[in-house]
Amino acid sequence: MPDQAAALVYFREGKRHYNERRYAEAAQAFARSLEAAWSINAAYNKALSLDRASDLVGALQAYRDYLEHAETQDQHRATAIERSEQLRQRLGEVLLQIDSPEAIREIRINGDVVDKDTFPRLVLPGPLDVEFVGEAPGQRKHIRADVRAGGAVTIVFPGFVRPEVRLPDTVKPPAGPQVPEESRRVKGLRAGFWTTTSLALAGGVTVAILGSRVLVARDRAHAGCDGLCEEGEKPALYRTFSALQDATNVAIGVTAAVGVAALALGLVLRRERARRPVATRADLRWLGATVELTF
């Protein structure tokens, strides 16, 4: 129930503080008078005291409270409207938009706890740090903004950051020695090297077989068949010996050429694997029944 007597006492106290230029104490006394019994005069004097005490936010809120109840013909109404517009140009306004259903236990603006129902909220211009504290441990969300004089900023709360869920590390088998993958060029060189090496070995076997037959044909031609053939057959034996000798020389040349190719491929393959520039030159010379290969 309103206490008119107490309201009057506090109102007179506020007037006394105001006349003595103790504006902060006057505003407190007028506030207690309004709590005891609300009156339009106490509301206006509270706003005026806060304005003189340089409490811009409190003064603008008090002027707005007065204007909500003041009649059109009230003598202080025009002054309150003009002063409210001036203060609004010196202050900023903060609006709150909550886009998450998560429960918010506490809201702090620049470290001070504020009620969610006090938004839109008047603040002094400057940097703004809004902290949201949730019900669960560790639920905190900071949103920073900059408030300009005469402007408004909307703080949007999207929700708290959910803790990161780490999956258990899978046990990986121990990695063995990694073998670098060979390029297509190295694979082609290796295949060519082993192919030419195989051909060179086959040529060596062919030369050995032909060489043995050449020796047999030569001995038979020189011995005159050892009585096993007629005298007229010797030219045929010499022709056989000559043909086998020519075939052997051809086989030696082909085998030597294939061997040189295999050797060259082997050197190139080794260079590719080592990735080092290697320059090799091979020369082949005929020495009668033999071949000389130099590098």
Side-chain angles (χ1 to χ4, degrees), residues 22-102:
R22 294 193 295 271
Y23 300 116
E25 290 81 353
Q28 295 176 0
F30 288 127
R32 287 193 289 269
S33 176
L34 290 170
E35 292 175 359
W38 198 93
S39 69
I40 195 69
N41 289 329
Y44 177 77
N45 281 278
K46 175 186 175 183
L48 189 62
S49 299
L50 291 172
D51 197 357
R52 294 294 178 87
S54 298
D55 186 354
L56 305 185
V57 174
L60 181 54
Q61 291 174 341
Y63 279 127
R64 288 179 173 179
D65 183 51
Y66 160 77
L67 290 172
E68 287 181 1
H69 300 84
E71 299 290 340
T72 306
Q73 66 274 15
D74 191 276
Q75 59 178 343
H76 302 298
R77 181 179 175 83
T79 304
I81 292 176
E82 181 181 1
R83 189 56 184 159
S84 297
E85 293 175 352
Q86 294 173 353
L87 290 174
R88 180 62 185 88
Q89 295 303 315
R90 298 176 59 183
L91 296 173
E93 192 170 24
V94 181
L95 295 85
L96 180 62
Q97 178 179 334
I98 299 178
D99 292 344
S100 174
E102 296 178 277

Side-chain angles (χ1 to χ4, degrees), residues 102-138:
E102 296 178 277
I104 300 175
R105 179 171 59 86
E106 194 175 80
I107 301 177
R108 299 176 183 175
I109 295 183
N110 293 338
D112 297 330
V113 179
V114 299
D115 192 349
K116 184 171 61 176
D117 297 332
T118 59
F119 291 90
R121 186 178 183 87
L122 296 170
V123 295
L124 295 173
L128 196 69
D129 181 14
V130 183
E131 180 183 8
F132 297 89
V133 182
E135 297 290 345

